Amino acid sequence: MGLTVHLLGPPRVERPDGDGHQMRSRKSWALLACLVLGERPPTRSRLAGLLYAEAQDPMRALRWGLAEIRRCLGVTLDGDPVVLGLPPDAVVDVTVLTHGAWAAAVDLPGLGADLLEGVTVRDAPAFESWLLSERRRIAAAAEAILHEAALGRLAEDDLEAASRLAVRAAAMSPLDENHQALLIRLYRLAGDDRAAEQQFAAVTALFRKELGVAPGRAVEQAMAEGRRHREVVADDASVEAIVESGAAAVAAGAVETGVRSLRTAIGLADRSGHAPSRLAARLRLAEALIHSTRGMDEEGLAVLYEAERLGLADGDPAAVARARAEIGYVDFLRARYDRSHRRLTDALTVAGGSGPIAARATTYLGAVESDRAAYASAVRLLDRAAGLARSCADPRTEAYALSMLGRVHLLTGAVGPAAEHLDAAIRLAERDHWLAFLPWPQALRGEVHLAASETAAAAAVLQQAFARACQLGDPCWEGIAARSLALTAEAAGRTAEAFALLADARRRSNRMADSYVWLDAYILDAQCELGRRHGHPNAPLWVGALRRLASRTGMREMIVRAMWHGAALGHAGDHDAARLLAGDIANPVLDALLAQDPSRYRVSAASDGASTI
């Protein structure tokens, strides 16, 4: 066995030569974690600022820590930025957890344990902020692996193993509706109706107590799941006809009817054993559940894992790529960015460099990079995705890619390119009669109008976007439009209305289990900004919520923004930590924010709009 580094739980190292040397300094373990978990090699000045700012000679203290890591691991470690030269066969548990296959990650001995458990570092407030964020992110990654592994075992028809994994995921985050829906579905599929009913009752009581609401559609649909039967054989031609009619119904807007037909088709195809029909029915149903039916992503994911397994068994790379791209899309919505990136990269590898699947996967990858604040990479990917979609005459994927490209330019302050790309996305959607998508680029276009001080134009497009979103009943589109309307109200001096609209935006965007998590952070950031500026008494609560959410998901810019808001509220060390963590985020808008003195923005609570929520 090669070099193995354990950072989950109490840290330790296993060397192939049997050397039992372990690092004595807590800061050396902390330094190793920084080197392993960074997205790119960190500079020496950043590492010194994170861990050794209080030392008399920070760079000398850093050199000592690097030397201890070299001795312990027996590896090369040098340069500026600092590059950790691990051998090819080395295993680092956190890397397996975030980037490896679920089959390997689920067997990690430290799965579910804290990162650097028992390690505390004094006199390093910036590192403490970083470590808290990373611990939350790693805990979320463990949750995601357990959920993914449960779906994988379900696809293999190992319901007992899947249930054990789903129980662990639900225990880690009991208020995650998707974990609970999966567990209940597994009990129902196994024929254990009593366990399903008990779990449903317990979840309902928990949600009412903690959230004041009943579980949503995903849990209700899981309770409606029936036990699998395999004894009847159907005619292949009939199955194919049902698949096509179901898909046509979904495309025509009769989504519930189409979904019922596709569910029936899966059962009939499984009984017939006709491989193409089994795959086609699953892929069509999954895409309908994810893209056309709100609150049903969890069932769609389970179907996609089955489609992926069948595609691999039948030697159908196009089906495998299609399934992986859609799994990656759902992980993107849930802000499981490492898992999403892995799935989408795999989809591209299988699909090749062209065609509609490659266009879609590249679009989703660009969106992932944008959410994580890797803006230059996002622009390259989304530009390429729009070109791929155009080359294969896929206007909807092109419109989506252009809308995400417009969003990147909006977030980075490039108002002209943002307007250009969003206008193009709106034209494409209108030309293709994709009215269900229009509120998204329209809401972003409204924000571009605001950034250009075109308040009247912003109000006009945003009111239309919000009305359309409400007619569609789409939580995400309603949320983004309501957020933008709140900014319009604030720009017009209607502060109380702005606070009320932001609260409404969060309620709308989060009312279903398959919400777009980045949007929740985006709305929270606006609440923090307005709350801090106007001294709202809930501002500290919003800043804490944004920090927890951004930390769990790895939204790098949102973490920095939460810290800056915290600094403006008087939290010691947050401003320095924010500047250090923003070092590799290329965003002029963020740079301008961090260049300001946050103490200038401290105001007493309960000013404009303080009693509106």
Side-chain angles (χ1 to χ4, degrees):
M1 185 177 72
L3 176 69
T4 303
V5 179
H6 300 272
L7 296 178
L8 300 173
R12 58 192 173 88
V13 170
E14 298 173 17
R15 286 180 51 167
D17 58 10
D19 187 336
H21 175 77
Q22 302 292 317
M23 291 186 288
R24 294 170 295 167
S25 169
R26 290 189 295 266
K27 284 196 175 181
S28 295
W29 285 115
L31 178 58
L32 177 58
C34 291
L35 293 169
V36 166
L37 289 166
E39 291 190 15
R40 54 187 59 84
T43 63
R44 289 182 176 246
S45 61
R46 183 182 180 192
L47 290 171
L50 273 174
L51 282 162
Y52 305 103
E54 302 301 317
Q56 288 185 348
D57 186 343
M59 298 305 288
R60 180 181 179 185
L62 172 63
R63 288 193 295 272
W64 187 92
L66 292 173
E68 188 172 27
I69 292 173
R70 284 192 207 96
R71 288 194 301 272
C72 180
L73 272 62
V75 298
T76 60
L77 184 60
D78 214 338
D80 190 8
V82 181
V83 177
L84 176 61
L86 292 172
D89 61 346
V91 175
V92 183
D93 55 3
V94 290
T95 303
V96 175
L97 176 65
T98 54
H99 299 293
W102 64 261
V106 79
D107 289 329
L108 290 171
L111 183 66
D114 273 347
L115 173 69
L116 297 183
E117 184 178 303
V119 174
T120 56
V121 177
R122 297 186 180 90
D123 301 322
F127 173 77
E128 289 173 9
S129 295
W130 177 87
L131 181 59
L132 177 60
S133 295
E134 286 299 300
R135 280 177 170 163
R136 287 171 174 160
R137 185 173 74 90
I138 293 303
E143 241 181 81
I145 280 294
L146 289 168
H147 194 98
E148 185 176 343
L151 288 168
R153 295 302 184 205
L154 169 59
E156 296 168 357
D157 211 26
D158 188 347
L159 298 180
E160 184 178 348
S163 296
R164 288 197 301 269
L165 292 162
V167 166
R168 292 175 64 188
M172 289 187 72
S173 189
L175 294 175
D176 188 310
E177 189 171 325
N178 292 307
H179 292 336
Q180 300 290 0
L182 176 58
L183 181 56
I184 291 169
R185 175 173 287 108
L186 288 165
Y187 286 147
R188 293 283 288 167
L189 288 171
D192 194 345
D193 293 341
R194 180 174 175 77
E197 290 164 2
Q198 289 176 336
Q199 188 69 20
F200 181 79
V203 170
T204 301
L206 178 67
F207 273 54
R208 289 198 182 279
K209 177 183 176 183
E210 298 293 333
L211 304 177
V213 297
R217 187 176 184 181
V219 172
E220 293 175 359
Q221 185 60 41
M223 273 301 293
E225 188 73 62
R227 189 168 186 174
R228 293 179 174 177
H229 299 285
R230 309 175 186 278
E231 62 274 7
V232 180
V233 177
D235 176 74
D236 293 346
S238 299
V239 174
E240 290 178 13
I242 294 171
V243 171
E244 291 305 316
S245 65
V250 171
V255 178
E256 295 296 336
T257 300
V259 164
R260 282 196 298 271
S261 295
L262 290 168
R263 286 186 182 127
T264 299
I266 287 178
L268 293 173
D270 285 350
R271 292 162 203 161
S272 74
H274 186 231
S277 296
R278 297 181 75 197
L279 263 173
R282 282 173 167 81
L283 288 170
R284 297 274 196 172
L285 175 60
E287 288 171 359
L289 291 169
I290 291 165
H291 295 286
S292 302
T293 311
R294 292 296 152 203
M296 300 301 292
D297 282 6
E298 188 55 40
E299 182 185 351
L301 263 185
V303 175
L304 285 171
Y305 274 82
E306 292 177 356
E308 180 189 29
R309 182 180 63 83
L310 289 172
L312 289 169
D314 296 338
D316 189 337
V320 171
R322 190 170 158 189
R324 288 177 178 172
E326 292 303 322
I327 292 170
Y329 172 72
V330 175
D331 281 336
F332 152 68
L333 292 178
R334 294 181 178 182
R336 297 172 178 173
Y337 298 123
D338 290 329
R339 308 310 301 167
S340 178
H341 191 279
R342 185 178 192 278
R343 284 290 182 176
L344 293 169
T345 303
D346 287 349
L348 279 173
T349 300
V350 176
S354 61
I357 298 172
R360 192 178 297 185
T362 305
T363 298
Y364 298 157
L365 266 176
V368 166
E369 293 297 87
S370 175
D371 278 15
R372 295 201 291 191
Y375 295 120
S377 174
V379 167
R380 286 194 299 271
L381 286 163
L382 292 167
D383 265 332
R384 182 169 182 269
L388 286 171
R390 198 176 306 119
S391 68
C392 59
D394 184 353
R396 295 193 173 190
T397 298
E398 184 182 356
Y400 189 68
L402 288 171
S403 75
M404 286 298 186
L405 195 53
R407 184 186 70 162
V408 172
H409 290 305
L410 169 64
L411 295 175
T412 55
V415 175
E420 177 186 343
H421 291 303
L422 290 167
D423 286 342
I426 290 168
R427 285 194 301 269
L428 276 170
E430 289 175 336
R431 194 181 308 152
D432 201 58
H433 307 290
W434 195 16
L435 301 182
F437 172 71
L438 268 175
W440 170 253
Q442 284 182 324
L444 294 171
R445 186 63 177 92
E447 287 198 34
V448 174
H449 280 305
L450 276 178
S453 300
E454 299 164 354
T455 309
V461 71
L462 289 171
Q463 286 163 4
Q464 186 182 60
F466 186 67
R468 272 199 175 119
C470 291
Q471 188 175 26
L472 292 165
D474 188 297
C476 296
W477 298 169
E478 291 175 23
I480 185 68
R483 180 195 187 275
S484 301
L485 282 170
L487 298 183
T488 305
E490 167 68 6
R494 303 192 304 274
T495 301
E497 181 184 343
F499 277 118
L501 282 168
L502 285 171
D504 184 52
R506 284 202 76 202
R507 283 192 294 268
R508 288 175 182 273
S509 67
N510 291 326
R511 72 174 183 263
M512 291 187 181
D514 52 4
S515 62
Y516 179 24
V517 177
W518 179 87
L519 177 57
D520 189 29
Y522 194 47
I523 298 169
L524 264 172
D525 182 47
Q527 282 186 311
C528 293
E529 174 68 21
L530 265 66
R532 176 185 50 73
R533 191 187 307 161
H534 295 286
H536 197 291
N538 285 349
L541 298 177
W542 296 330
V543 171
L546 178 60
R547 191 162 181 166
R548 287 189 298 274
L549 176 60
S551 297
R552 278 179 57 83
T553 56
M555 297 178 193
R556 295 186 302 147
E557 179 164 336
M558 291 299 180
I559 295 171
V560 172
R561 286 179 170 274
M563 289 179 175
W564 196 90
H565 294 313
L569 294 176
H571 299 172
D574 273 7
H575 193 206
D576 289 341
R579 286 188 295 187
L580 281 166
L581 295 178
D584 55 357
I585 299 176
N587 183 356
V589 174
L590 185 64
D591 292 342
L593 178 69
L594 295 176
Q596 302 175 49
D597 179 1
S599 64
R600 292 175 49 208
Y601 296 89
R602 291 176 197 159
V603 295
S604 60
S607 66
D608 294 25
S611 61
T612 61
I613 300 175

